[in-house]
Amino acid sequence: MSFSSLGLSAPLLKAVAAQQYEAAYPIQREAIPAIIKGKDVFGIAQTGSGKTAGFVLPLLELFQGRKAAKNRYVKALVLVPTRELAMQVGDVFKLFGANLPQKIKTVAVFGGVSINPQMMALQGAEILVATPGRLLDLVDSKAVHLSEVEVLVLDEADKMLNLGFKEEMDKIFALLPEKRQNILFSATLGDAVDAIREKLLHDPIKIEIEAESKTPNLIKQLAYQVAAERKGPLLRYIIKQQNMQQVLIFVSSTRTADNLVEKLIKNGIEAAAMHSKKSQGARTEGLSKFKSGKLRVLVATDLASRGIDIQSLPYVINYDLPRSPKDYIHRIGRTGRAASEGEAISLICPEDSHHFKIIQKKMGKRVDIIETDTLDLKGY
Ligand code: AMP
């Protein structure tokens, strides 16, 4: 289906044509008219489905012809989990908004960089794309006000919740006016997403887009930037926060494997190590307990992991990065098998950054990196 019947005006259709999109993707076919009509929308869709244009185009359409916002009172707020996604979504707004008759300023803000340029950029902004923590800082310093927001978009809500942003999100919701349009996108369903849906959406149009069944796309990849001394606590935080019940962790040495297992057990997470210094009997026993779901965590070195073949392993964590990109791909291939979804997480220390870039380049895929400097890991 072409874009022309979705309710977009000529200037936006021209902007779409410039991108040489031949047809609207399914999510766009349904989301664009619904959003233009002012409906709340609940979209279950993954990255790659075209969901970004699915909300960017109708938002730009809605604000054509509407009165300009008061200075620093944004009219649309798009909340996203990561800095990478904030930049990406901000760029899509700029891409489609560049040649519209009525200029609409979009700004993307996120943590990990200096706040002052963002404060200045917010001058005259009408659409704000933000990660939750940095947004609250900007609200506190009165660089932006949320009381006139007409449309709220939550992008990748499940990821936002998994990253522990619930409290920040609730604070932000409390700052918004009661009457507004709400758009919620999530790749997965679950209790936490359901709670948000119930709280925010009124009589929403539900759009569900099936994930593609190609195996590589079933592996979600994610990385956390972390100081070396915070790796252990961060690992335990992730396992507990996401309530992971079956996770394979890769390390570079037998010593790290043993240390990690000891600390995990101390923290109430059942774990066993699998490496060349363990007897064959211990390895077989550990693996079979792990496979049957009786053991929550298996910590393995690359060599010992070769023979692990588990259907639908939900999580793989690279506690240490492997030396070769080939090993990286091999490791993450342990998850997302047999048409079920999996997540591969890597912990990246500053000294790993360069190496991780090379891995991504070899793989031909960019991985989102989440900053963890401000994450409170006390008690983990
Ligand atoms: P997203 O899921 O929003 O991250 O989009 C995934 C990719 O699909 C982006 O690179 C878009 O530029 C591209 N894309 C989005 N909509 C279309 C379309 N209708 N036709 C072709 N490519 C598209």
Side-chain angles (χ1 to χ4, degrees), residues 50-337:
K51 64 182 165 55
T52 317
F55 64 82
V56 166
L57 290 168
L59 276 184
L60 289 170
E61 183 67 51
L62 281 176
F63 293 139
Q64 289 296 297
R66 277 199 200 174
K67 220 169 69 217
K70 275 193 287 181
N71 192 23
R72 297 191 182 277
Y73 284 77
V74 289
K75 291 201 291 194
L77 172 64
V78 183
L79 274 186
V80 297
T82 63
R83 150 196 186 149
E84 283 76 16
L85 190 60
M87 291 193 277
Q88 216 172 294
V89 171
D91 287 345
V92 177
F93 272 109
K94 286 178 190 134
L95 182 75
F96 288 120
N99 294 311
L100 298 181
Q102 185 174 329
K103 287 275 163 285
I104 296 167
K105 183 171 176 184
T106 304
V107 173
V109 299
F110 39 80
V113 294
S114 151
I115 197 168
N116 286 344
Q118 296 178 350
M119 287 173 153
M120 294 204 290
L122 278 163
Q123 182 89 15
E126 303 207 56
I127 297 178
L128 176 58
V129 183
T131 52
R134 176 52 61 95
L135 174 61
L136 285 171
D137 291 343
L138 287 161
V139 168
D140 279 346
S141 51
K142 303 215 163 14
V144 67
H145 307 278
L146 302 181
S147 58
E148 311 242 322
V149 168
E150 294 169 28
V151 187
L152 168 71
V153 181
L154 299 188
D155 195 9
E156 303 199 357
D158 49 350
K159 192 149 149 192
M160 225 162 350
L161 292 162
N162 281 341
L163 293 175
F165 279 132
K166 177 155 192 321
E167 212 175 295
E168 282 93 342
M169 287 158 79
D170 283 338
K171 275 191 200 152
I172 292 164
F173 299 157
L175 296 169
L176 301 171
E178 191 103 326
K179 194 171 163 294
R180 56 167 203 267
Q181 187 177 2
N182 299 288
I183 297 155
L184 170 63
F185 280 106
S186 179
T188 57
L189 288 169
D191 290 348
V193 173
D194 263 352
I196 298 241
R197 176 180 57 82
E198 259 171 46
K199 182 178 167 141
L200 296 185
L201 302 186
H202 302 286
D203 191 19
I205 293 193
K206 188 173 169 187
I207 306 168
E208 197 159 355
I209 303 299
E210 293 283 326
E212 273 190 57
S213 54
K214 274 187 271 151
T215 312
N217 291 345
L218 290 171
I219 305 171
K220 264 204 316 205
Q221 295 184 60
L222 195 65
Y224 291 81
Q225 182 82 49
V226 60
E229 70 275 13
R230 276 163 58 90
K231 263 168 109 178
L234 177 66
L235 175 74
R236 296 187 285 276
Y237 171 88
I238 294 170
I239 293 174
K240 287 191 171 170
Q241 187 78 20
Q242 299 198 31
N243 195 20
M244 294 177 177
Q245 292 303 328
Q246 197 184 31
V247 45
L248 177 61
I249 300 175
F250 286 101
V251 294
S252 55
S253 72
T254 53
R255 225 174 92 207
T256 313
D258 289 336
N259 285 345
L260 220 55
V261 165
E262 198 189 315
K263 292 254 175 62
L264 285 166
I265 292 173
K266 246 192 217 150
N267 279 272
I269 301 169
E270 223 212 320
M274 189 156 135
H275 53 64
S276 53
K277 299 220 172 92
K278 291 263 173 199
S279 72
Q280 190 57 47
R283 283 201 237 172
T284 313
E285 196 204 353
L287 185 57
S288 84
K289 272 175 76 182
F290 182 64
K291 274 185 167 185
S292 63
K294 286 188 203 123
L295 179 70
R296 200 166 164 191
V297 175
L298 192 66
V299 183
T301 54
D302 279 311
L303 263 186
S305 79
R306 295 279 177 211
I308 303 178
D309 183 9
I310 302 169
Q311 296 286 305
S312 70
L313 187 59
Y315 297 105
V316 164
I317 299 181
N318 291 312
Y319 183 81
D320 295 317
L321 270 188
R323 237 171 286 158
S324 82
K326 224 171 85 203
D327 274 337
Y328 177 89
I329 292 164
H330 189 79
R331 284 180 181 186
I332 69 166
R334 311 266 135 205
T335 179
R337 299 189 140 195

Side-chain angles (χ1 to χ4, degrees), residues 3 20-25 28 46-54 88:
F3 279 88
Q20 295 175 330
Y21 290 179
E22 279 172 17
Y25 284 168
Q28 296 162 350
Q46 345 278 319
T47 303
S49 59
K51 64 182 165 55
T52 317
Q88 216 172 294

Side-chain angles (χ1 to χ4, degrees), residues 30-52:
E30 298 192 52
I32 293 172
I35 295 172
I36 291 177
K37 276 189 207 120
K39 298 287 292 182
D40 279 7
V41 166
F42 179 32
I44 303 144
Q46 345 278 319
T47 303
S49 59
K51 64 182 165 55
T52 317

